Amino acid sequence: MRFGTGTALVKDPRFSWWSAVPESPCGAVAVLIHGSDRDPVGMRREFLDWAERTGTALLAPLFPAGVPDAGDANGYKQLRSGDTHFDDVLQWTLDAFIERELLDVDRLELFGFSGGAQFAHRLALVHPSDWSAAAFAAPGNVTLLGSEHAWWPGVGDFAAVFGRERDHARLQALPVHVLVGADDDGSGVIHVGEHEPRWRAGANDAGPTRVDRARHLAQNWHEHGVPATFEIVAGAAHELAPLVPRAQAFFDRVRKADGFSDAPEGN
């Protein structure tokens, strides 16, 4: 396994990434989005055994707190904060990683945990054609399709925010898995107060707990034609480690359904 540690993004050195590339890559890259703990090393570590077994290259970017504004720890979760477009930053990071590692990429898979799941499901919504599969683990605040609320709780002003219409047909072709620990409450953390900078009308409409909000996200997207599945992981609270094997199993199932062979080259 070849590791990359804290590599600065040349296009914007405020951002960096951690990576792992198997000796015999299979052509798949899994992009792993950290939560509010900002631990890309931990994200990568949880996926290493699976990456080695399947030949999957791993990319774990870091979105530091205080970008673009001092004290702002949540901006990346909504993709846009001031003039900073975090979806563009992710694309630049991915392009730089692929170029640096000389990878031939056949499929991209997206995983996010907690605040990273907020980023990930919004990234998939905005750029659905980029991904072969996406898994969102324990998102605390969610974006609902069909909602006329402004971004981020809804998509009522999507074109104004992103400069184009949504590609809903492509989103409907994206396999999605939403998962959450059975004991993941989080109600004291995920509630958005009207005094907070991230407040938008509809911010708390999906329910009081992370289980409620994850379920609501999966149901809402499924009702709008997205092939979204939902899983509650017994015995898990707000923890990354118990959810990762279930996300990996989802990616394995989608690969099999797609006829994609993840056996590393030479095996």
Side-chain angles (χ1 to χ4, degrees), residues 246-263:
R246 308 310 308 150
Q248 293 168 347
F250 163 70
F251 290 138
D252 290 342
R253 289 194 301 271
V254 175
R255 291 181 184 190
K256 183 176 181 180
D258 289 347
F260 179 80
S261 174
D262 59 13

Side-chain angles (χ1 to χ4, degrees), residues 14-15 66-70 72 74-89 151 160-162 197-198 200:
R14 297 176 297 174
F15 304 96
V67 177
D69 300 316
D72 181 10
N74 294 305
Y76 81 103
K77 301 172 188 177
Q78 286 82 54
L79 303 188
R80 301 291 169 90
S81 182
D83 293 332
T84 302
H85 295 185
F86 290 94
D87 53 334
D88 290 342
V89 171
W151 185 263
V161 173
F162 295 100
R198 59 180 174 154
R200 299 290 187 277

Side-chain angles (χ1 to χ4, degrees), residues 124-219:
L125 191 161
V126 176
H127 302 283
S129 61
D130 293 348
W131 306 101
S132 301
F136 316 132
N141 292 290
V142 300
T143 298
L144 301 179
L145 300 174
S147 170
E148 290 304 313
H149 287 307
W151 185 263
W152 52 268
V155 293
D157 60 347
F158 184 95
V161 173
F162 295 100
R164 58 177 172 79
E165 298 298 327
R166 289 195 305 111
D167 188 351
H168 190 66
R170 186 60 188 85
L171 184 62
Q172 289 177 314
L174 176 64
V176 164
H177 191 52
V178 184
L179 59 161
V180 66
D183 301 324
D184 192 349
D185 183 297
S187 55
V189 177
I190 64 176
H191 180 83
V192 182
E194 294 187 25
H195 64 284
E196 296 184 51
R198 59 180 174 154
W199 162 259
R200 299 290 187 277
N204 300 303
D205 285 359
T209 72
R210 283 197 187 91
V211 173
D212 294 327
R213 294 185 181 194
R215 180 186 291 111
H216 199 144
L217 174 65
Q219 290 177 343

